[in-house]
Amino acid sequence: MRDEAVQPYQRIALDMRDKIAAGELQPGEKLPSTRELAEKYAVAAGTVQRALSELRATGAIYSHQGRGSYVAGAAAEATEDPTTRALRVLEDKVAKLTERLDKIEKTHDGA
């Protein structure tokens, strides 16, 4: 699998999920603005918005119009239905496996 198979918005969403899981981003913490995230990840604002939309869809974050996006807390995850939670876990695992496979392939391509 080539690196292009993982879209930039997916990389951003995965990175933010990892930061939430690692405790680098705490429940209720406000995320940087779209512009700040676009600069950090060197992508267009629309790419960041798509990543944030994906994170909202999985319940990892929530947004308030005009105020920004925030890390969801345990309460939000507790109200998530089991099917959605299972799909989110599977999506995370697939994204992580894809990232690992990309690294392995890059190592073998360079050998």
Side-chain angles (χ1 to χ4, degrees):
M1 183 177 290
R2 296 173 51 133
D3 195 36
E4 294 85 37
V6 179
Q7 297 294 318
Y9 79 92
Q10 293 170 319
R11 285 192 204 100
I12 296 167
L14 177 61
D15 184 52
M16 295 185 80
R17 280 189 197 109
D18 287 345
K19 288 180 181 191
I20 292 168
E24 293 176 44
L25 295 171
Q26 296 292 314
E29 183 176 341
K30 184 176 180 181
L31 299 177
S33 70
T34 300
R35 186 181 72 235
E36 291 169 326
L37 290 171
E39 289 173 9
K40 175 182 178 179
Y41 291 102
V43 296
T47 302
V48 171
Q49 289 170 345
R50 187 165 178 191
L52 294 177
S53 177
E54 183 128 326
L55 291 167
R56 273 191 300 276
T58 62
I61 67 168
Y62 61 94
S63 299
H64 289 289
Q65 183 68 30
R67 290 193 286 172
S69 296
Y70 300 82
V71 177
E77 290 182 12
T79 61
E80 184 177 65
D81 76 83
T83 303
T84 302
R85 187 177 309 118
L87 286 173
R88 183 171 43 81
V89 169
L90 286 173
E91 286 174 345
D92 288 345
K93 287 181 180 182
V94 168
K96 288 178 183 177
L97 286 171
T98 300
E99 186 176 320
R100 289 176 65 191
L101 182 59
D102 287 345
K103 287 178 184 177
I104 291 169
E105 288 180 345
K106 282 182 184 178
T107 301
H108 288 289
D109 289 342

